[in-house]
Amino acid sequence: MELKVKGLYKSFGEKEVLKDVSLNAVSGSALGLLGRNGAGKTTTIRIIMDVFYPDKGEILIDGRPVDRKRIRIGYMPEERGLYPKKIISDQLIYLSMLRGMNRVDAKSACDKWLDRMGMSEYKNKKLETLSKGNQQKIQLAATLICDPEIVILDEPFSGLDPVNAMLLKEVIMEMIENGAVVLFSSHQMNYVEEFCSNISILNSGRIVVDGRINDIKRSYPRNSIEISTREPQKLSAHIIKAMGEKIVSSGQLEHDESRLLIKLKDESSKGELLSLIAGSGCDIDGFRVCEPSLNDIFVQYTEAGI
């Protein structure tokens, strides 16, 4: 299955929020939808969910307009939307039936997902009696209870402790492996890199970066080399002596006694540098090309702000 967002425009009054936004997400993978607050992420998600109508553009499934009666979409909003004073199982069953399930299937799905979340003992409790992390797990159960083909997760890890975050990671990976289309929106770049092979970055209502994370990183200069060694000063002197005319700088990383950063004038000299290091007689633990982090890329393309 392919979810295609094609040429979306949306204005509220005189403010143009989306300006020709297009993106693609496919079954069995997660697309990271990134952007600063106010960039247009939530508006895009709400148009996909049919909450807002675009002024122009369309949402397609496998090249055709979305049939809302046939496509199951699970949405976990950043602002959680369950009822704090209602019994957990009652509202999960109710929400399932709103999505077209009969009561028997809804009850079965409720029991299944409460068990998967380790929350069965709380099924007859009111939501407000749970911790924030456990409420988050109930929200995820509500998102997935209808076995959605498209899953939209907006800041799903917000407020989770490491144990609950691990459970959520397992569930998200299961969804991806089982062929769901996953749209993942978060400011926590470590999770985006963990789940998403592709990203689309919004800035001021426009897509400013789109593609595979690995390809985006490889588009940057690859002339900075980090070497892990117990002898950084000795190795640095050896490299400068042998390759001085081919390097921009060589120095020990600040606050680190075991890493050396070499910046080459030309990235084609990497092989020569590696051979030199291998024959240096120094104790070497690692050699890697320094790539920008996803956080670095995000800041570069969104620092102009809104």
Side-chain angles (χ1 to χ4, degrees):
M1 177 183 293
E2 179 187 46
L3 168 67
K4 182 184 288 289
V5 174
K6 187 175 180 182
L8 293 188
Y9 288 81
K10 181 64 179 178
S11 297
F12 296 98
E14 296 182 357
K15 182 173 178 57
E16 191 176 26
V17 178
L18 299 182
K19 308 163 189 175
D20 195 20
V21 170
S22 297
L23 52 88
N24 286 45
V26 298
S27 296
S29 68
L31 171 68
L33 180 61
L34 312 179
R36 293 176 62 179
N37 294 331
K41 302 187 304 297
T42 299
T43 299
T44 300
I45 289 171
R46 289 177 176 173
I47 290 174
I48 294 172
M49 293 291 300
D50 207 31
V51 176
F52 292 159
Y53 294 106
D55 299 330
K56 184 180 178 182
E58 54 188 343
I59 308 297
L60 304 173
I61 299 291
D62 293 333
R64 299 180 179 180
V66 181
D67 184 345
R68 302 286 175 178
K69 294 180 180 180
R70 301 186 62 180
I71 297 297
R72 301 183 304 276
I73 301 178
Y75 175 40
M76 186 174 183
E78 180 177 6
E79 298 297 329
R80 310 313 181 207
L82 297 180
Y83 302 101
K85 297 185 180 299
K86 296 295 184 181
I87 300 298
I88 289 167
S89 59
D90 288 349
Q91 57 182 311
L92 289 180
I93 291 169
Y94 170 71
L95 292 171
S96 300
M97 294 177 69
L98 281 182
R99 298 181 191 181
M101 300 177 76
N102 61 52
R103 177 169 288 275
V104 173
D105 290 341
K107 185 177 183 304
S108 176
C110 172
D111 291 341
K112 168 191 168 183
W113 279 103
L114 287 177
D115 180 65
R116 180 67 182 86
M117 295 291 123
M119 301 297 291
S120 296
E121 63 183 292
Y122 301 106
K123 66 182 295 182
N124 295 317
K125 301 287 186 180
K126 292 182 180 179
L127 187 71
E128 65 183 0
T129 65
L130 274 58
S131 67
K132 183 177 180 180
N134 283 338
Q135 289 187 28
Q136 188 101 323
K137 289 158 74 175
I138 298 300
Q139 182 78 57
L140 181 62
T143 301
L144 303 178
I145 200 165
C146 68
D147 191 23
E149 299 156 286
I150 299 171
V151 180
I152 302 172
L153 304 172
D154 195 353
E155 295 292 357
F157 289 94
S158 176
L160 289 184
D161 62 52
V163 174
N164 283 330
M166 182 64 70
L167 174 61
L168 180 54
K169 285 196 286 186
E170 290 175 0
V171 172
I172 293 174
M173 289 307 300
E174 286 175 9
M175 291 188 295
I176 294 171
E177 290 169 1
N178 291 334
V181 175
V182 177
L183 196 61
F184 187 92
S185 180
S186 178
H187 290 128
Q188 295 173 283
M189 299 299 161
N190 57 316
Y191 289 125
V192 175
E193 291 207 67
E194 190 165 354
F195 298 118
C196 303
S197 54
N198 290 60
I199 57 169
S200 294
I201 299 181
L202 273 163
N203 191 38
S204 300
R206 298 184 187 277
I207 297 290
V208 291
V209 178
D210 181 64
R212 290 179 55 82
I213 295 176
N214 288 342
D215 292 341
I216 293 169
K217 287 187 174 184
R218 290 191 67 86
S219 69
Y220 285 77
R222 303 180 65 77
N223 62 332
S224 292
I225 311 299
E226 182 184 300
I227 306 156
S228 298
T229 175
R230 297 180 185 180
E231 304 171 278
Q233 294 179 350
K234 177 182 176 182
L235 181 60
S236 178
H238 181 69
I239 292 171
I240 291 173
K241 182 178 179 180
M243 294 183 63
E245 76 284 356
K246 296 184 179 181
I247 65 174
V248 176
S249 61
S250 172
Q252 191 172 329
L253 289 176
E254 189 176 359
H255 307 306
D256 195 317
E257 298 179 353
S258 62
R259 290 188 296 164
L260 183 67
L261 184 65
I262 306 293
K263 188 171 183 180
L264 299 167
K265 292 180 179 178
D266 190 328
E267 63 181 57
S268 65
S269 300
K270 292 196 298 288
E272 182 181 350
L273 176 62
L274 180 58
S275 297
L276 179 65
I277 292 169
S280 68
C282 293
D283 186 5
I284 306 298
D285 293 322
F287 176 101
R288 75 176 187 93
V289 176
C290 295
E291 295 180 326
S293 68
L294 184 54
N295 191 72
D296 294 334
I297 295 168
F298 178 86
V299 170
Q300 176 186 344
Y301 282 96
T302 64
E303 62 185 352
I306 305 297

